Amino acid sequence: MVRIKPRFTTASNYFDNITCVGQYIGNDIREIVSFDAYFLTKSGRRIDSLDLYVSDQGADFEHEGFIRYRHYDLWKRPQFTGLLNRNGDIAIKANRFNYLSRVHNGMLWAEEGAICKTMADGRIAWEGGSGTILIDAVGRVLINAGKCLVDQNNMIYLKLHFCQITPAPHTDTTRVSFKGVNGEYYSFVDYRKEFVEWIKERAKDIDETNVDSILGPEIALAIHNGEVPLTCQPGNLDLKYKKLVMQVIIAIAKGDAMHGIYQKHQTFPQCDGWLGEYSIFGKRRQELPEFVVKAVDSSTYGSAEYSFCDTDQGYKLSKIDLIHLQGQ
């Protein structure tokens, strides 16, 4: 006779005020007898009546005291998304908005009137709809923003924490302004514009005496020569690598065609140990964008990538990836 044992998995952090919990009962993951998923508050309140918000990144977690939940259609596809507060009470009902981002500075991006489609690789995508709108944490519309500089991977292009409300569009070239439903203009720092400006400023005076100021507390060094990637402190990073960082920053600022910048999805396994300390938005590494400066044709190392994370102390180098190491 096979003995059935309880097994538990948690999809979020129990240090949160409210968390997603998935529980299955069986001998192992291949012999599931039953499965139960629910929200659990720190006070012990269990909420079974609402479906968890689950994506390809796993179940949602609390952010700024709010966590998302979903309503599914008969085909088990997401139909609407709602929001719970830290006590497990409904802040936004799942009956209007198809997509909601996480809450930042009391605001979040939303989309309504869209239809969920399942892509060939199993991922979901929203089609149609009214476009992107900015709402507050109780569902009031602030901005009808359309398709502006945001994506559905948590809307990472604009810093909601640096919102300014003015009677006219903001003049700062790193900001993007949108006219709100109240007639005033909401402006937000655009991560990409800000990073380019940061590169230009650093290029003016970057040298061996101050290069350490742009290094994170730990730097992952991947040289692709068969060795395990190294992690080192800034003081232990060889000067030749620091010089490469300086060279590529100067090249980007000069507009060198052999270099470029692109933005990665916001997951940073190479610097999990220190992002919580530096994070602007709390201790969730998923909330920080990562920019990669790419040297397409370096005379010494061929192709190389340098990853920078946005922190409350400025952009910090987190990884050097020497893709085609030569002469080794």
Side-chain angles (χ1 to χ4, degrees):
M1 180 178 178
V2 177
R3 182 181 179 184
I4 302 301
K5 301 177 181 179
R7 305 278 181 170
F8 301 91
T9 60
T10 58
S12 193
N13 193 326
Y14 271 108
F15 293 104
D16 290 343
N17 292 286
I18 183 170
T19 188
C20 301
V21 178
Q23 170 186 336
Y24 68 87
I25 301 176
N27 208 39
D28 56 38
I29 193 66
R30 296 165 299 178
E31 299 179 25
I32 297 175
V33 176
S34 64
F35 181 82
D36 194 16
Y38 53 91
F39 292 95
L40 184 67
T41 68
K42 186 175 286 188
S43 65
R45 178 184 177 187
R46 174 172 166 156
I47 304 165
D48 298 279
S49 57
L50 304 175
D51 292 318
L52 304 187
Y53 182 104
V54 179
S55 66
D56 57 358
Q57 298 179 23
D60 200 30
F61 55 76
E62 179 191 335
H63 199 263
E64 293 191 9
F66 296 93
I67 193 169
R68 296 172 290 184
Y69 73 96
R70 268 180 169 160
H71 170 77
Y72 293 86
D73 62 18
L74 293 176
W75 305 101
K76 302 300 180 183
R77 289 179 301 193
Q79 187 175 13
F80 297 108
T81 303
L83 199 66
L84 299 177
N85 63 23
R86 66 183 68 233
N87 300 315
D89 299 320
I90 294 177
I92 298 177
K93 291 183 178 180
N95 60 3
R96 176 184 176 184
F97 301 111
N98 308 112
Y99 170 81
L100 295 176
S101 71
R102 294 192 179 99
V103 176
H104 293 273
N105 195 26
M107 298 176 285
L108 60 161
W109 298 104
E111 187 164 351
E112 62 180 335
I115 299 176
C116 178
K117 300 289 187 179
T118 303
M119 310 299 285
D121 59 4
R123 294 182 298 110
I124 65 169
W126 297 102
E127 294 184 359
S130 59
T132 304
I133 58 179
L134 186 71
I135 64 176
D136 64 16
V138 294
R140 291 181 296 224
V141 176
L142 303 176
I143 301 171
N144 291 305
K147 296 293 183 181
C148 60
L149 298 176
V150 292
D151 70 24
Q152 289 193 349
N153 290 319
N154 294 319
M155 305 300 183
I156 58 180
Y157 293 157
L158 303 179
K159 289 186 177 181
L160 297 189
H161 283 82
F162 294 83
C163 173
Q164 291 187 13
I165 303 175
T166 54
H170 207 288
T171 57
D172 187 337
T173 57
T174 64
R175 286 184 168 270
V176 182
S177 297
F178 305 96
K179 190 173 184 179
V181 296
N182 62 358
E184 295 189 291
Y185 287 84
Y186 292 71
S187 68
F188 310 96
V189 172
D190 183 321
Y191 279 116
R192 298 167 297 179
K193 293 180 179 180
E194 181 188 57
F195 184 66
V196 171
E197 289 300 314
W198 180 84
I199 287 284
K200 292 178 179 178
E201 285 298 313
R202 295 290 72 74
K204 293 177 181 179
D205 61 1
I206 193 74
D207 58 30
E208 295 178 14
T209 66
N210 59 25
V211 65
D212 284 10
S213 66
I214 65 170
L215 306 182
E218 292 182 351
I219 297 96
L221 179 61
I223 56 179
H224 291 266
N225 64 351
E227 296 181 2
V228 176
L230 304 174
T231 300
C232 62
Q233 305 295 318
N236 297 328
L237 185 63
D238 194 296
L239 181 59
K240 66 181 180 181
Y241 299 125
K242 295 180 182 180
K243 288 182 177 179
L244 288 176
V245 175
M246 291 186 286
Q247 290 169 9
V248 76
I249 286 177
I250 294 171
I252 288 289
K254 290 181 177 180
D256 191 324
M258 303 307 296
H259 299 74
I261 298 174
Y262 67 92
Q263 186 175 6
K264 274 191 173 182
H265 196 272
Q266 60 244 52
T267 54
F268 315 105
Q270 71 273 17
C271 49
D272 280 353
W274 59 266
L275 275 180
E277 176 185 353
Y278 278 72
S279 172
I280 301 172
F281 310 127
K283 295 183 178 180
R284 295 297 188 182
R285 64 183 176 86
Q286 291 93 335
E287 300 308 316
L288 293 175
E290 179 183 26
F291 288 92
V292 177
V293 175
K294 186 171 184 178
V296 180
D297 187 14
S298 170
S299 60
T300 305
Y301 291 102
S303 183
E305 293 184 349
Y306 306 86
S307 299
F308 292 86
C309 294
D310 183 33
T311 78
D312 61 2
Q313 298 184 20
Y315 288 95
K316 297 291 182 180
L317 180 75
S318 62
K319 185 178 182 181
I320 299 175
D321 198 346
L322 304 176
I323 300 172
H324 298 115
L325 189 65
Q326 297 176 356
Q328 294 271 336

mmCIF file of all heavy atoms in Angstrom, residues 3 19 39 49 59 66 87 108 121 124 199 244 256 259-260 291 302 315 326:
data_model
loop_
_atom_site.group_PDB
_atom_site.id
_atom_site.type_symbol
_atom_site.label_atom_id
_atom_site.label_comp_id
_atom_site.label_asym_id
_atom_site.label_seq_id
_atom_site.Cartn_x
_atom_site.Cartn_y
_atom_site.Cartn_z
ATOM 1 N N ARG A 3 1.763 4.919 0.803
ATOM 2 C CA ARG A 3 1.382 5.895 1.815
ATOM 3 C C ARG A 3 1.344 7.289 1.195
ATOM 4 O O ARG A 3 2.300 7.726 0.583
ATOM 5 C CB ARG A 3 2.382 5.872 2.966
ATOM 6 C CG ARG A 3 2.021 6.848 4.087
ATOM 7 C CD ARG A 3 3.069 6.785 5.182
ATOM 8 N NE ARG A 3 2.740 7.718 6.247
ATOM 9 C CZ ARG A 3 3.514 7.944 7.300
ATOM 10 N NH1 ARG A 3 4.660 7.280 7.422
ATOM 11 N NH2 ARG A 3 3.149 8.802 8.216
ATOM 12 N N THR A 19 0.505 36.140 0.922
ATOM 13 C CA THR A 19 1.317 35.324 0.031
ATOM 14 C C THR A 19 0.456 34.300 -0.694
ATOM 15 O O THR A 19 -0.658 33.983 -0.262
ATOM 16 C CB THR A 19 2.415 34.597 0.836
ATOM 17 O OG1 THR A 19 3.320 33.955 -0.040
ATOM 18 C CG2 THR A 19 1.827 33.553 1.748
ATOM 19 N N PHE A 39 -4.642 32.113 -1.040
ATOM 20 C CA PHE A 39 -3.893 33.218 -0.463
ATOM 21 C C PHE A 39 -3.872 33.050 1.055
ATOM 22 O O PHE A 39 -4.844 32.593 1.660
ATOM 23 C CB PHE A 39 -4.536 34.558 -0.814
ATOM 24 C CG PHE A 39 -4.446 34.919 -2.267
ATOM 25 C CD1 PHE A 39 -5.488 34.629 -3.140
ATOM 26 C CD2 PHE A 39 -3.321 35.547 -2.779
ATOM 27 C CE1 PHE A 39 -5.415 34.959 -4.472
ATOM 28 C CE2 PHE A 39 -3.226 35.878 -4.120
ATOM 29 C CZ PHE A 39 -4.273 35.585 -4.972
ATOM 30 N N SER A 49 -11.458 31.587 -2.242
ATOM 31 C CA SER A 49 -12.460 31.873 -3.266
ATOM 32 C C SER A 49 -11.892 32.558 -4.505
ATOM 33 O O SER A 49 -12.604 32.733 -5.492
ATOM 34 C CB SER A 49 -13.562 32.755 -2.663
ATOM 35 O OG SER A 49 -13.004 33.954 -2.136
ATOM 36 N N ALA A 59 4.002 32.308 -9.380
ATOM 37 C CA ALA A 59 2.879 33.017 -8.766
ATOM 38 C C ALA A 59 3.304 34.421 -8.359
ATOM 39 O O ALA A 59 4.482 34.705 -8.142
ATOM 40 C CB ALA A 59 2.376 32.240 -7.559
ATOM 41 N N PHE A 66 0.182 45.069 -1.928
ATOM 42 C CA PHE A 66 -0.854 44.562 -2.824
ATOM 43 C C PHE A 66 -0.353 43.320 -3.559
ATOM 44 O O PHE A 66 0.838 43.184 -3.822
ATOM 45 C CB PHE A 66 -1.260 45.623 -3.854
ATOM 46 C CG PHE A 66 -1.895 46.844 -3.257
ATOM 47 C CD1 PHE A 66 -1.120 47.952 -2.932
ATOM 48 C CD2 PHE A 66 -3.258 46.883 -3.004
ATOM 49 C CE1 PHE A 66 -1.692 49.087 -2.377
ATOM 50 C CE2 PHE A 66 -3.846 48.010 -2.450
ATOM 51 C CZ PHE A 66 -3.056 49.116 -2.126
ATOM 52 N N ASN A 87 -4.357 42.859 3.701
ATOM 53 C CA ASN A 87 -5.246 42.139 4.612
ATOM 54 C C ASN A 87 -6.070 41.066 3.915
ATOM 55 O O ASN A 87 -6.852 40.368 4.552
ATOM 56 C CB ASN A 87 -6.188 43.130 5.312
ATOM 57 C CG ASN A 87 -5.437 44.163 6.117
ATOM 58 O OD1 ASN A 87 -4.497 43.831 6.850
ATOM 59 N ND2 ASN A 87 -5.849 45.428 6.002
ATOM 60 N N LEU A 108 -0.434 51.672 -10.988
ATOM 61 C CA LEU A 108 -0.145 50.481 -11.775
ATOM 62 C C LEU A 108 -0.706 50.637 -13.177
ATOM 63 O O LEU A 108 -1.663 51.371 -13.411
ATOM 64 C CB LEU A 108 -0.690 49.224 -11.110
ATOM 65 C CG LEU A 108 -2.192 49.110 -10.839
ATOM 66 C CD1 LEU A 108 -2.564 47.632 -10.613
ATOM 67 C CD2 LEU A 108 -2.625 49.898 -9.612
ATOM 68 N N ASP A 121 4.256 28.738 -27.999
ATOM 69 C CA ASP A 121 5.151 28.235 -26.958
ATOM 70 C C ASP A 121 4.481 28.124 -25.603
ATOM 71 O O ASP A 121 5.131 27.856 -24.598
ATOM 72 C CB ASP A 121 6.395 29.121 -26.843
ATOM 73 C CG ASP A 121 6.045 30.568 -26.522
ATOM 74 O OD1 ASP A 121 4.841 30.859 -26.316
ATOM 75 O OD2 ASP A 121 6.966 31.402 -26.462
ATOM 76 N N ILE A 124 0.997 33.363 -22.743
ATOM 77 C CA ILE A 124 -0.231 34.071 -23.055
ATOM 78 C C ILE A 124 0.095 35.479 -23.536
ATOM 79 O O ILE A 124 1.136 36.045 -23.216
ATOM 80 C CB ILE A 124 -1.178 34.146 -21.840
ATOM 81 C CG1 ILE A 124 -0.550 34.994 -20.708
ATOM 82 C CG2 ILE A 124 -1.511 32.752 -21.341
ATOM 83 C CD1 ILE A 124 -1.523 35.312 -19.606
ATOM 84 N N ILE A 199 25.493 57.157 -19.166
ATOM 85 C CA ILE A 199 26.688 56.748 -19.898
ATOM 86 C C ILE A 199 27.467 57.978 -20.373
ATOM 87 O O ILE A 199 28.695 58.068 -20.229
ATOM 88 C CB ILE A 199 26.310 55.866 -21.107
ATOM 89 C CG1 ILE A 199 25.875 54.467 -20.640
ATOM 90 C CG2 ILE A 199 27.468 55.767 -22.101
ATOM 91 C CD1 ILE A 199 26.994 53.556 -20.230
ATOM 92 N N LEU A 244 38.417 47.709 -19.650
ATOM 93 C CA LEU A 244 37.447 47.365 -20.689
ATOM 94 C C LEU A 244 36.125 48.081 -20.449
ATOM 95 O O LEU A 244 35.479 48.564 -21.390
ATOM 96 C CB LEU A 244 37.222 45.849 -20.725
ATOM 97 C CG LEU A 244 38.353 44.996 -21.281
ATOM 98 C CD1 LEU A 244 38.015 43.520 -21.143
ATOM 99 C CD2 LEU A 244 38.621 45.342 -22.743
ATOM 100 N N ASP A 256 30.081 55.070 -31.116
ATOM 101 C CA ASP A 256 30.806 54.067 -31.889
ATOM 102 C C ASP A 256 29.831 53.019 -32.429
ATOM 103 O O ASP A 256 29.081 52.398 -31.679
ATOM 104 C CB ASP A 256 31.848 53.394 -30.987
ATOM 105 C CG ASP A 256 32.825 52.524 -31.761
ATOM 106 O OD1 ASP A 256 32.394 51.893 -32.745
ATOM 107 O OD2 ASP A 256 34.003 52.478 -31.378
ATOM 108 N N HIS A 259 29.391 49.365 -31.005
ATOM 109 C CA HIS A 259 28.876 49.152 -29.664
ATOM 110 C C HIS A 259 27.392 49.463 -29.632
ATOM 111 O O HIS A 259 26.864 50.173 -30.484
ATOM 112 C CB HIS A 259 29.617 50.030 -28.651
ATOM 113 C CG HIS A 259 31.085 49.747 -28.564
ATOM 114 N ND1 HIS A 259 31.968 50.147 -29.545
ATOM 115 C CD2 HIS A 259 31.810 49.094 -27.628
ATOM 116 C CE1 HIS A 259 33.186 49.754 -29.214
ATOM 117 N NE2 HIS A 259 33.122 49.115 -28.053
ATOM 118 N N GLY A 260 26.710 48.940 -28.639
ATOM 119 C CA GLY A 260 25.278 49.182 -28.528
ATOM 120 C C GLY A 260 24.759 48.916 -27.133
ATOM 121 O O GLY A 260 25.466 48.403 -26.275
ATOM 122 N N PHE A 291 20.389 46.761 -17.911
ATOM 123 C CA PHE A 291 20.841 47.198 -19.223
ATOM 124 C C PHE A 291 22.160 46.525 -19.536
ATOM 125 O O PHE A 291 23.020 46.364 -18.677
ATOM 126 C CB PHE A 291 21.017 48.714 -19.253
ATOM 127 C CG PHE A 291 19.724 49.467 -19.233
ATOM 128 C CD1 PHE A 291 19.176 49.880 -18.035
ATOM 129 C CD2 PHE A 291 19.047 49.750 -20.405
ATOM 130 C CE1 PHE A 291 17.980 50.575 -18.000
ATOM 131 C CE2 PHE A 291 17.853 50.440 -20.385
ATOM 132 C CZ PHE A 291 17.314 50.852 -19.181
ATOM 133 N N GLY A 302 37.119 40.292 -28.706
ATOM 134 C CA GLY A 302 36.081 39.943 -29.651
ATOM 135 C C GLY A 302 34.771 40.573 -29.247
ATOM 136 O O GLY A 302 34.603 41.768 -29.339
ATOM 137 N N TYR A 315 23.584 53.606 -11.518
ATOM 138 C CA TYR A 315 23.763 52.338 -12.225
ATOM 139 C C TYR A 315 25.060 51.677 -11.776
ATOM 140 O O TYR A 315 26.091 52.338 -11.640
ATOM 141 C CB TYR A 315 23.764 52.569 -13.731
ATOM 142 C CG TYR A 315 22.389 52.900 -14.265
ATOM 143 C CD1 TYR A 315 21.990 54.216 -14.433
ATOM 144 C CD2 TYR A 315 21.478 51.891 -14.561
ATOM 145 C CE1 TYR A 315 20.720 54.529 -14.894
ATOM 146 C CE2 TYR A 315 20.208 52.188 -15.016
ATOM 147 C CZ TYR A 315 19.837 53.505 -15.188
ATOM 148 O OH TYR A 315 18.581 53.792 -15.635
ATOM 149 N N GLN A 326 39.723 35.574 -26.836
ATOM 150 C CA GLN A 326 40.779 35.212 -27.779
ATOM 151 C C GLN A 326 42.124 35.141 -27.073
ATOM 152 O O GLN A 326 42.365 35.834 -26.095
ATOM 153 C CB GLN A 326 40.848 36.266 -28.894
ATOM 154 C CG GLN A 326 39.575 36.332 -29.718
ATOM 155 C CD GLN A 326 39.632 37.447 -30.742
ATOM 156 O OE1 GLN A 326 40.593 38.215 -30.791
ATOM 157 N NE2 GLN A 326 38.611 37.546 -31.556
#
